[in-house]
Amino acid sequence: DAKTTQPNSMESNEEEPVHLPCNHSTISGTDYIHWYRQLPSQGPEYVIHGLTSNVNNRMASLAIAEDRKSSTLILHRATLRDAAVYYCILRDVWGGAQKLVFGQGTRLTINP
Amino acid sequence: DADVTQTPRNRITKTGKRIMLECSQTKGHDRMYWYRQDPGLGLRLIYYSFDVKDINKGEISDGYSVSRQAQAKFSLSLESAIPNQTALYFCATSDFRKGEQFFGPGTRLTVL
């Protein structure tokens, strides 16, 4: 499985945008980029995913570099509830098991 | 009601005991997964199942076994628990047509 690299931790202020980076220089053409987050004392929850084009949903936006070797998860207006560990994961679109390989993620702290 | 439930939520046991963790889902998904999370680390896949007749080992299956009793139920067993199996265990489900996984609330297992 392709590897991703994320900063161990980031800090931001409430109501400001947050940009969480992820590097995946060995990504293959059939890898989707997935983001999950894990709130304290909870299981991970899906945030967003994309293949080549930028994606938006009610939770966040995903900006994918043109060469697909990096991506950025964008929280447009952070709230205290967004404090969590964010995982960037590559999933092979042809991988029948849909296995997710979790790294250590980025621990996001939101200051009031 | 939660879509993915896990029982028990917390369990303390002794070395050598047999332990079963249970997972049930009401999402109608065909695929189910068991993950383990150690403090400060991401999740690691133990076993996964495509359907009732299909069981596959993940990256850390040694010391564990599973049973898929029905589409909605997937159990994880520790035949003879040992202290280094102390961890947070998560069950997850997904639909074969989509990559998004839905996680349960987790079971905190302590082996003394």
Side-chain angles (χ1 to χ4, degrees):
Chain A
D1 296 301
K3 183 176 173 60
T4 63
T5 304
Q6 300 176 251
N8 289 332
S9 63
M10 291 184 63
E11 196 169 331
S12 185
N13 297 318
E14 197 174 11
E15 299 187 1
E16 291 184 356
V18 180
H19 291 236
L20 296 162
C22 181
N23 288 319
H24 28 78
S25 58
T26 59
I27 191 171
S28 73
T30 55
D31 283 330
Y32 274 92
I33 302 160
H34 282 244
W35 284 83
Y36 282 73
R37 72 179 185 181
Q38 187 173 18
L39 302 172
S41 302
Q42 294 188 26
E45 66 174 340
Y46 168 83
V47 177
I48 199 167
H49 77 279
L51 186 61
T52 56
S53 303
N54 294 344
V55 183
N56 300 293
N57 66 19
R58 63 175 180 81
M59 291 181 70
S61 295
L62 176 60
I64 301 172
E66 194 169 339
D67 64 4
R68 299 206 330 122
K69 293 185 177 182
S70 66
S71 61
T72 301
L73 179 71
I74 302 166
L75 307 179
H76 294 285
R77 197 160 172 263
T79 68
L80 295 177
R81 194 190 175 279
D82 291 321
V85 177
Y86 287 78
Y87 297 100
C88 170
I89 300 167
L90 300 183
R91 183 182 70 83
D92 188 344
V93 68
W94 296 113
Q98 299 170 348
K99 292 183 290 183
L100 300 177
V101 179
F102 287 80
Q104 292 192 328
T106 296
R107 182 173 299 278
L108 176 65
T109 301
I110 304 296
N111 299 314
Chain B
D1 290 332
D3 295 319
V4 184
T5 57
Q6 294 183 233
T7 55
R9 294 295 312 280
N10 289 282
R11 182 71 184 268
I12 299 173
T13 190
K14 295 181 179 179
T15 297
K17 294 291 187 180
R18 184 177 187 275
I19 296 297
M20 179 180 287
L21 308 182
E22 299 189 355
C23 176
S24 295
Q25 53 115 347
T26 59
K27 299 189 75 65
H29 288 167
D30 54 334
R31 302 184 174 196
M32 298 187 73
Y33 310 79
W34 275 104
Y35 291 89
R36 163 182 175 157
Q37 185 173 34
D38 294 284
L41 299 179
L43 281 69
R44 291 181 293 169
L45 183 64
I46 306 172
Y47 271 95
Y48 61 98
S49 170
F50 284 5
D51 61 36
V52 175
K53 298 180 181 179
D54 178 85
I55 301 290
N56 303 279
K57 292 183 177 180
E59 60 177 309
I60 55 163
S61 59
D62 287 348
Y64 301 95
S65 63
V66 291
S67 173
R68 185 83 182 266
Q69 303 96 320
Q71 187 190 34
K73 296 184 182 296
F74 193 34
S75 300
L76 176 71
S77 294
L78 289 69
E79 296 301 325
S80 180
I82 56 177
N84 76 2
Q85 291 178 313
T86 293
L88 197 52
Y89 290 84
F90 289 102
C91 173
T93 73
S94 70
D95 184 280
F96 78 97
R97 294 164 296 184
K98 302 179 182 178
E100 178 184 353
Q101 290 191 13
F102 295 84
F103 286 81
T107 294
R108 186 171 298 281
L109 176 66
T110 303
V111 183
L112 301 175

